[in-house]
Amino acid sequence: MKKNFFRMFAAILVCGAIATVFTACSKDDDGTTPTPTPDQPQHFKAEVTLTFIAHPKALNYFEYKFKYVDANGNTKTIDINEKTQGSGSLDDFELKAIKDMIEAQASIPGYEDLKKPFVYRIVLKDQPSGGKVTFTTTCHVKEGASISETLVYALPTVIRSIKKGNGARLLASAEFGIAGRRVTPEQWEKYKESMEGKEISQASGEVVVGE
């Protein structure tokens, strides 16, 4: 009789222990949030800077329409001419990126004032990862503009940079440069026709905000 009692008691203890184990496991499995794996994309917002650089002399003869569409779909057009209030001088980052190029060009007769270029800086914050910023620059000849001697000037360019989160500001593209032009009075009328409404490739492009 006692043997049967102890056997039944032992069986009850074993069953209770098994039930406790299963209950504990089920509690651990319920209501937990999966931890993201390293392979999943980490979404962020970036700061994109577009720095429009023009030869001061050029603004006496040409006007530029600088249009951009940010990664959120916002569009804006800025009219850039000799009356436009600029952003001052190049900052340390921009100067480092283009210093050698400007110094080389400014050493050529006719380009001396490139040492202090016209600068218009646009800072676009909260640009979502996976998005894209596009920009175009269109040239328009100023009404009544004329030359009596050879015009030596440079086309505008745009330095594009990006800063992701707390990271460092980096060049978003190395596709910028200073393109010079030389126009004689005899060529002026034909040159005006060729430039009116023309998109300036050195000052047009895009910045992709990668994942």
Side-chain angles (χ1 to χ4, degrees):
M1 188 73 177
K2 287 183 178 180
K3 289 182 179 180
N4 290 336
F5 173 77
F6 283 120
R7 287 175 181 171
M8 291 177 61
F9 184 69
I12 291 171
L13 289 177
V14 171
C15 290
I18 294 172
T20 301
V21 171
F22 279 115
T23 302
C25 290
S26 64
K27 284 183 179 178
D28 289 341
D29 291 339
D30 289 341
T32 58
T33 303
T35 302
T37 64
D39 294 334
Q40 291 179 323
Q42 302 298 308
H43 296 290
F44 59 86
K45 289 188 177 180
E47 179 179 283
V48 174
T49 301
L50 304 176
T51 307
F52 183 98
I53 300 172
H55 190 175
K57 180 194 299 184
L59 298 179
N60 294 322
Y61 305 93
F62 306 98
E63 299 177 342
Y64 301 104
K65 286 191 178 295
F66 184 59
K67 177 182 178 181
Y68 70 82
V69 181
D70 72 11
N72 293 304
N74 300 310
T75 302
K76 187 174 182 179
T77 301
I78 300 101
D79 292 323
I80 296 178
N81 52 53
E82 83 283 2
K83 296 180 181 179
T84 304
Q85 182 66 44
S87 304
S89 58
L90 296 167
D91 63 27
D92 291 341
F93 177 89
E94 296 155 352
L95 187 59
K96 183 178 179 180
I98 203 170
K99 181 180 179 181
D100 291 343
M101 199 178 299
I102 283 183
E103 289 183 349
Q105 195 78 18
S107 66
I108 301 172
Y111 295 100
E112 294 86 354
D113 56 336
L114 264 176
K115 292 179 181 178
K116 294 183 178 180
F118 171 86
V119 177
Y120 194 101
R121 187 181 300 106
I122 297 169
V123 179
L124 304 172
K125 297 184 177 181
D126 297 329
Q127 301 301 293
S129 59
K132 182 169 64 175
V133 176
T134 61
F135 59 95
T136 57
T137 299
T138 306
C139 177
H140 298 279
V141 182
K142 290 182 63 175
E143 185 176 354
S146 63
I147 60 174
S148 57
E149 57 184 24
T150 298
L151 172 64
V152 178
Y153 82 102
L155 297 176
T157 190
V158 173
I159 297 176
R160 58 204 90 167
S161 57
I162 186 169
K163 184 177 182 293
K164 298 179 181 179
N166 295 322
R169 183 179 172 193
L170 302 171
L171 282 177
S173 174
E175 294 180 3
F176 63 88
I178 298 175
R181 293 290 184 269
R182 186 181 183 86
V183 188
T184 65
E186 294 75 24
Q187 298 169 325
W188 179 243
E189 291 302 321
K190 188 174 182 179
Y191 184 75
K192 286 197 304 182
E193 293 178 8
S194 69
M195 292 302 293
E196 179 60 37
K198 179 181 179 181
E199 182 177 305
I200 307 299
S201 59
Q202 290 86 352
S204 303
E206 64 180 28
V207 176
V208 176
V209 185
E211 294 289 355

